[in-house]
Amino acid sequence: MRLLVVNPNISDDVTELIRAEAERSAAPSTELVVRTAPHGVEYIETRFESLVAAGAVAEVIAEHCADGHGAHRIEGVIVAAFGDPGMPALKELVDVPVLGITEAALCAAALQGHRFSIIAISDRITAWYRECVERFGFGSRLASIRSIKEALRGIGTVQDDFRPTLIELARLAVAEDGADVVILAGAPLAGLARDVASEIPVPVVDGIAAGVRLAEAVVGLDSGVHRAGSFAAPPPKRRAGLSPALDAALDAAQFAGRPSAMLAAEGGAL
């Protein structure tokens, strides 16, 4: 199985945290292709920054998924930033499963307890996270979102700089908010759940680990692709200014989604 893991921000040090946790989580037979967004911001904290990141992620997905065949084919995609920039719209772009680490973490938490809390690296980010939880249908199960209040020294050193704070926030979520499960939110915290699980009295979910393991499961289910419904490829129409890779990915998705009868009438391959 070959999975594409995309860091939607431009921080290479965060990409290395993602890579390390993804490699620890993946099955031995899973090959990981880990990439950093080619443009955008250091770390995503707002809705607008998420909008910018979504375009960058779409470019990376298009570049790696459009032309792969055989052993080089990407079989699943993981959008590796909490808040899932571009999701769920990115599911419309390619004919393989595309998962975000937020939806993966929420599903993993929901399987392990009734109510969960999210521990975030920034106070500004919490409103957007709450909207994401609502969008994925888990609003009634959210106990709380607790966050670091101080300014960050660097996005790649959050775990080292704020480990005691993050543990305390998780413990408060359990003791005061009634959380059955805690999610450590964001790629900068990738791998921390493994280190602090013994210090937090409920299950602790890592979004990167959840994303990799659930992507493996969904790919393994081989459930088929979206040829109709709200996640089918966008309908063909005039486009301008898109990159060659994104243009090609849309063409491929639209061609694959056309009914066989239509393709036959057009002389297309069946």
Side-chain angles (χ1 to χ4, degrees):
M1 183 183 303
R2 198 163 187 251
L3 301 178
L4 174 65
V5 184
V6 186
N7 175 13
N9 65 55
I10 61 171
S11 301
D12 289 329
D13 48 358
V14 173
T15 300
E16 291 311 306
L17 291 171
I18 293 169
R19 184 191 306 277
E21 180 57 26
E23 289 176 349
R24 285 193 292 265
S25 302
S29 60
T30 297
E31 178 186 353
L32 299 171
V33 179
V34 184
R35 295 292 183 266
T36 307
H39 56 82
V41 297
E42 180 185 12
Y43 64 99
I44 302 159
E45 198 174 13
T46 70
R47 302 175 189 88
F48 179 76
E49 291 168 348
S50 174
L51 180 66
V52 171
V57 172
E59 295 284 353
V60 176
I61 293 174
E63 178 184 347
H64 286 80
C65 292
D67 299 321
H69 298 286
H72 297 291
R73 174 174 167 78
I74 295 295
E75 297 176 82
V77 178
I78 301 159
V79 180
F82 215 82
D84 294 356
M87 296 290 287
L90 291 170
K91 296 178 187 288
E92 302 174 17
L93 179 59
V94 288
D95 63 352
V96 300
V98 182
L99 279 66
I101 65 168
T102 307
E103 63 178 347
L106 295 177
C107 290
L111 290 170
Q112 298 182 77
H114 181 66
R115 288 167 59 79
F116 57 83
S117 287
I118 295 171
I119 309 303
I121 64 172
S122 150
D123 197 46
R124 175 66 191 274
I125 215 168
T126 58
W128 171 41
Y129 280 3
R130 192 174 299 276
E131 291 170 7
C132 291
V133 174
E134 294 285 349
R135 186 179 73 233
F136 286 122
F138 287 96
S140 65
R141 300 179 70 170
L142 178 65
S144 63
I145 302 178
R146 289 181 176 261
S147 62
I148 296 171
K149 306 298 184 184
E150 302 120 90
L152 305 182
R153 180 172 64 90
I155 195 60
T157 61
V158 175
Q159 295 187 36
D160 294 333
D161 296 343
F162 291 99
R163 177 184 170 121
T165 300
L166 293 163
I167 293 171
E168 180 61 18
L169 290 172
R171 289 172 173 169
L172 289 172
V174 175
E176 298 184 4
D177 306 331
D180 303 311
V181 183
V182 168
I183 300 170
L184 298 184
L189 302 184
L192 182 61
R194 294 177 184 269
D195 294 336
V196 303
S198 64
E199 302 179 62
I200 298 169
V202 298
V204 185
V205 174
D206 182 298
I208 301 299
V212 169
R213 298 299 289 182
L214 288 183
E216 290 174 330
V218 172
V219 171
L221 287 171
D222 195 20
S223 303
V225 298
H226 294 283
R227 290 185 293 272
S230 66
F231 286 105
K237 59 189 68 170
R238 185 172 65 86
R239 305 189 293 260
L242 301 183
S243 70
L246 198 51
D247 243 346
L250 283 168
D251 282 342
Q254 289 162 351
F255 183 83
R258 290 186 180 182
S260 297
M262 182 182 295
L263 289 174
E266 296 172 353
L270 293 176

